[in-house]
Amino acid sequence: NAGVTQTPKFRVLKTGQSMTLLCAQDMNHEYMYWYRQDPGMGLRLIHYSVGEGTTAKGEVPDGYNVSRLKKQNFLLGLESAAPSQTSVYFCASSPDRSYGYTFGSGTRLTVV
Amino acid sequence: AQSVTQLDSQVPVFEEAPVELRCNYSSSVSVYLFWYVQYPNQGLQLLLKYLSGSTLVKGINGFEAEFNKSQTSFHLRKPSVHISDTAEYFCAVSDPGGGADGLTFGKGTHLIIQP
């Protein structure tokens, strides 16, 4: 089925380790977003991209890096994980700003 | 920057009763408004959206919302809820005249349906 696929679905990291979360969409959407969801905080934008080769910072970018080398993929990297990065991470894509987003099913990350 | 306030963190309601989930946003000349639903351990699904035109917007699963510019509100309603409506509901806003920096979400309202 068409949509947004996130891998992995679950991950446990030790403090200081690095990892990359992958988001892939097969809808040819230009816009892609990474959010984190924490209890009582709603969703907060980490980084976003308006097209292949572009990235920009969102509300809470510190400690994260992103890349969009191919239009269909948007990678979120943690270079040195911290317990404060324990969260559920959602990727979303959209053809334009008025259409609404298609969300992935999320990655639950725990940093110990 | 836009902001969204969902006034209730939890709303308990009996099955088959009506429900209203409240959402207010910071003022702007124009806005796009959205409601999303998140079922346990899933991503968010779009329920409905307001871009322009009629202030009453109908969405999936029998939900509707009314845009009120003077009150800067976009409350979500359903005339009769079911157990399956138990979920987290998020209101979101974007500025059509601004950059592509994503939707701003409220903190969510947990709808609890009691049998």
Side-chain angles (χ1 to χ4, degrees):
Chain A
N1 291 338
V4 177
T5 302
Q6 292 183 233
T7 53
K9 295 190 183 305
F10 302 94
R11 185 72 185 268
V12 178
L13 282 181
K14 294 183 179 179
T15 297
Q17 286 185 320
S18 63
M19 78 163 295
T20 300
L21 282 67
L22 172 63
C23 176
Q25 53 97 359
D26 58 5
M27 298 169 286
N28 202 36
H29 287 173
E30 289 291 338
Y31 297 79
M32 296 188 76
Y33 303 88
W34 276 108
Y35 285 87
R36 61 178 288 173
Q37 183 180 27
D38 302 290
M41 301 292 288
L43 279 82
R44 294 179 292 170
L45 182 65
I46 304 171
H47 286 281
Y48 65 97
S49 168
V50 301
E52 181 178 315
T54 75
T55 64
K57 294 180 180 180
E59 179 187 356
V60 289
D62 293 343
Y64 305 95
N65 57 76
V66 288
S67 65
R68 190 151 178 219
L69 299 179
K70 294 183 178 180
K71 186 176 184 178
Q72 63 267 34
N73 295 337
F74 195 29
L75 279 62
L76 178 71
L78 287 73
E79 290 187 346
S80 179
S84 60
Q85 294 177 304
T86 294
S87 188
V88 181
Y89 292 86
F90 287 101
C91 177
S93 71
S94 178
D96 64 52
R97 298 176 68 250
S98 64
Y99 193 80
Y101 294 178
T102 300
F103 278 86
S105 58
T107 295
R108 186 173 296 274
L109 175 65
T110 302
V111 182
V112 297
Chain B
Q2 291 282 355
S3 64
V4 177
T5 302
Q6 292 184 242
L7 297 164
D8 306 296
S9 59
Q10 274 193 152
V11 173
V13 63
F14 288 105
E15 195 173 14
E16 298 184 7
V19 68
E20 179 179 81
L21 305 183
R22 297 180 292 170
C23 172
N24 287 89
Y25 61 93
S26 56
S27 62
S28 177
V29 176
S30 63
V31 291
Y32 293 155
L33 292 157
F34 304 81
W35 275 100
Y36 285 84
V37 60
Q38 183 181 30
Y39 299 105
N41 299 314
Q42 294 187 25
L44 281 72
Q45 301 174 32
L46 181 64
L47 268 180
L48 49 79
K49 62 182 177 182
Y50 170 81
L51 305 181
S52 64
S54 173
T55 58
L56 183 62
V57 179
K58 294 190 182 297
I60 62 171
N61 301 340
F63 284 94
E64 64 181 30
E66 186 155 18
F67 170 62
N68 187 320
K69 187 173 182 178
S70 63
Q71 303 283 335
T72 61
S73 67
F74 190 54
H75 300 333
L76 181 70
R77 294 191 286 259
K78 186 170 183 178
S80 176
V81 296
H82 303 282
I83 288 287
S84 59
D85 292 323
T86 296
E88 193 84 14
Y89 291 79
F90 292 94
C91 182
V93 63
S94 71
D95 182 352
D101 57 345
L103 299 180
T104 299
F105 286 85
K107 295 184 178 181
T109 297
H110 188 196
L111 179 60
I112 301 167
I113 310 299
Q114 301 167 326

